[in-house]
Amino acid sequence: MSGVVDARLAELGLTLPEVVPPLATYQPAVQSGVYVYTSGQLPMVEGKLPVTGKVGAEVTSEEAKDLARTCALNALAAVKSLVGDLDRVARVVKVVGFVASAPDFTGQPGVINGSSELLGEVLGDKGVHARSAVGVAVLPLDAPVEVEIQVELTEA
């Protein structure tokens, strides 16, 4: 680890994981100009989902919030794999979070706070972003949560 963001990750006791290979025909992240867009990131840990099911049924809100943190960490790993250095992130522009929800579950914003809070902890003011938190019927591999981020890079 060398940069400011890498030092902050270490201070928080966090390690960026290896980028999970795509499950279909897409790239984990792409760059267009000064923006990087990640594909939806599942809460994979060492290539596996630690929990599956619907939030509000098989998965608690707190478990899902922790999984959303993992999604954000995976998204940062995807960004770094493309640009090489997270110090190039000028700001997180947008976070979109999907929560596989039981029919009566309405706490999607609280779940996706896991991602938003992690980005703030790691990037400080650069992690403040616009956001959507959406409840869905099902996600790939029966994941409880999926998160994508869009970041703006510095010009260098």
Side-chain angles (χ1 to χ4, degrees):
M1 291 198 195
S2 57
V4 174
V5 175
D6 288 337
R8 180 64 181 148
L9 285 164
E11 182 181 308
L12 293 168
L14 299 171
T15 304
L16 288 181
E18 292 294 319
V19 176
V20 176
L23 300 173
T25 307
Y26 62 89
Q27 294 297 311
V30 298
Q31 183 174 350
S32 179
V34 296
Y35 295 97
V36 174
Y37 301 84
T38 70
S39 294
Q41 300 293 312
L42 300 179
M44 299 289 224
V45 176
E46 297 180 359
K48 298 179 182 172
L49 286 174
V51 179
T52 59
K54 306 290 182 288
V55 181
E58 301 88 1
V59 181
T60 69
S61 292
E62 276 306 308
E63 287 173 315
K65 185 176 179 181
D66 286 341
L67 294 169
R69 286 179 64 86
T70 301
C71 291
L73 201 59
N74 290 343
L76 288 174
V79 171
K80 185 173 182 176
S81 75
L82 190 66
V83 303
D85 184 357
L86 288 176
D87 287 349
R88 290 198 55 213
V89 173
R91 76 168 305 149
V92 177
V93 177
K94 177 93 186 240
V95 171
V96 180
F98 303 95
V99 180
S101 303
D104 60 345
F105 182 74
T106 60
Q108 293 84 4
V111 169
I112 301 306
N113 278 348
S115 289
S116 296
E117 291 167 4
L118 178 116
L119 293 168
E121 290 169 19
V122 172
L123 298 169
D125 290 342
K126 294 177 182 181
V128 178
H129 52 268
R131 187 181 87 180
S132 299
V134 181
V136 298
V138 67
L139 288 167
L141 305 178
D142 200 25
V145 182
E146 180 176 339
V147 172
E148 63 183 55
I149 68 172
Q150 300 159 10
V151 301
E152 180 182 3
L153 302 174
T154 59
E155 289 291 337

